[in-house]
Amino acid sequence: MKTFSIAIHGGAGTILPALMTPQKELAYRTALNEAIRLGSNILEKGGSSLDAVEAAVVSLEDFPLFNAGKGAVFTHKGTHEMDASIMSGLNLNAGAVSGVSKVKNPISLARLVMEKSGHVYLSGQEAEIFASNNGLPIESDNYFYTDERYKQWQDVKDSDTYQLDHTDKSEQGEKKFGTVGAVALDLHGNLAAATSTGGMTNKKFGRVGDTPIIGAGTYANNHTCAISCTGHGEYFIRAVVAYDISCLMEYKGLSLKQACDFVVKEKLVKMGGEGGLIAIDKIGNIELPFNSDGMYRAWQHSGEAIQTAIYK
Amino acid sequence: MKTFSIAIHGGAGTILPALMTPQKELAYRTALNEAIRLGSNILEKGGSSLDAVEAAVVSLEDFPLFNAGKGAVFTHKGTHEMDASIMSGLNLNAGAVSGVSKVKNPISLARLVMEKSGHVYLSGQEAEIFASNNGLPIESDNYFYTDERYKQWQDVKDSDTYQLDHTDKSEQGEKKFGTVGAVALDLHGNLAAATSTGGMTNKKFGRVGDTPIIGAGTYANNHTCAISCTGHGEYFIRAVVAYDISCLMEYKGLSLKQACDFVVKEKLVKMGGEGGLIAIDKIGNIELPFNSDGMYRAWQHSGEAIQTAIYK
């Protein structure tokens, strides 16, 4: 019998029960549920994994709690610079964008780049022209504004500090990587992965993390797995994390679980790279490893209930 | 006895004897000789592979025949947008930049990003601020102007055509990927790789290729190899070319030659990805595979003469 599987994440980091309120936890779980349900509905009807991961990530981008789309963190200049990428395991087609400020759903722009640009990776204000030429929704700076992100930025904007994600005064010492992502296996056996982020609070100099880097933050290959990462992007780039898991499976014969555990819990830990990832293999196994305190996540296999989790 | 090895490239593509003049060939060979000699001199004295690959790439960037630094192609808007990356095999440290227009030597900026920014990847005009804050030479648009690149751009600027590198009326059908790069093994056993490019003539929408992507265009790891790629970047990104070679060696036990031949002459060919790469392994073996008609290249092992080649 043909089955589908899907998993999503809303970021990893210092996410501890002691730092959470019941209201906030409910809001996160509701958002995760809604996003994965949108993806599952598509997969259930025989839709493609590409459509499912895009729909799930759009939902997370639209939800202001996560650091992607609406709710993206502020840069040092008080702007938003968002990155995203998507990949199809069927044909290794891929699309990516970085440094876009006005596109409502960067993940949909990444998909458009994949399907219409003749390129893989477009960047900056010029990528926004490609978006508007092709009819994607463009928003004003106001749309991306949220009180919480503004406060986080105010706390650090006069310093040279950049923050991996939101740390506010009530959450001293908290580190979160609020990137969002989705991976899916559809009824046709095709894998896909998608990732989207606002990057680091107070980031400067056009900093780009692993999110738009095919092989680092996002990878999908029908022969192995689909991966979407969240974490301290610099380490994920240097470790080529997403493709490393695929290679460990393809070249060394590791299972998805073995490959995920080795990369996230050994290699990244040795380098000092905090974060996690979501992964699905070609037969629908799901792994959700992280080496931080928590990771917002949800997953579902066809015929089973949606599950959500936040802590270890 | 401790030995060093170094290899450089000045791009691959439709490079055929019939399209070459003796004067032009001499100019290319002279430039390749000079660049590799600068790198070798550093290695000979016990200098680091990082210093050697940076020096060789700076020399190629300064040489107007190559599509990097001075001589970079024109974008659709008549500007220059350059990308570069560098990686140390010793500690997997890496630095990358994309879309910089005024920095004389983008490879030196990539190195500065690696060593001074706390990040791996900076982009656009903001990256130029980081460059000038740190004292790197900044040039006017005039510096990057060359007659040949201007003519190539004029030929296609009113079309939607982008070109992989320079094609002028006298070279109908010629395709070149003028990216430059260097890989080296130093006397201390450390590998390094560096790549720099102006991208595609008439490129639009902030297009980024494989050059600044760690794992795609550039990779170095003391346990395996150092790689610098040149070719149709979109395919090199999707195939995660540079890290794929490293993984085939580390996880599947392939030799450098086996891994290079498989990736460049089988996988990329099946995908339709034209180009090549230069590679050195941890014991100093050099491979220079390409699936196009030619690749500007030079290489040297310690105690031996510099060799240069252009065609198959």
Side-chain angles (χ1 to χ4, degrees), chain A residues 214-268:
Chain A
I214 298 301
T218 304
Y219 188 74
N221 185 332
N222 274 6
H223 294 114
T224 53
C225 59
I227 309 282
S228 169
C229 298
T230 173
H232 194 151
E234 279 71 9
Y235 294 91
F236 283 65
I237 293 176
R238 291 168 51 210
V240 201
V241 167
Y243 191 55
D244 199 28
I245 290 172
S246 178
C247 288
L248 284 162
M249 296 175 70
E250 184 171 3
Y251 301 147
K252 213 175 175 179
L254 265 55
S255 70
L256 184 71
K257 181 173 168 43
Q258 290 170 326
C260 284
D261 285 350
F262 178 55
V263 172
V264 176
K265 296 173 183 172
E266 293 186 39
K267 285 176 90 166
L268 277 172

Side-chain angles (χ1 to χ4, degrees), chain A residues 18 21 63 82 98 105 113-115 123-125 179 185 196 198 206 210 223 248 288 290 297 312:
Chain A
T21 64
F63 203 88
M82 299 172 286
S98 69
N105 293 110
V113 169
M114 176 174 84
E115 294 181 343
S123 64
Q125 292 181 356
T179 300
L185 172 71
S196 180
D210 63 315
H223 294 114
L248 284 162
L288 310 155
F290 53 96
R297 58 203 189 275
K312 263 182 191 161

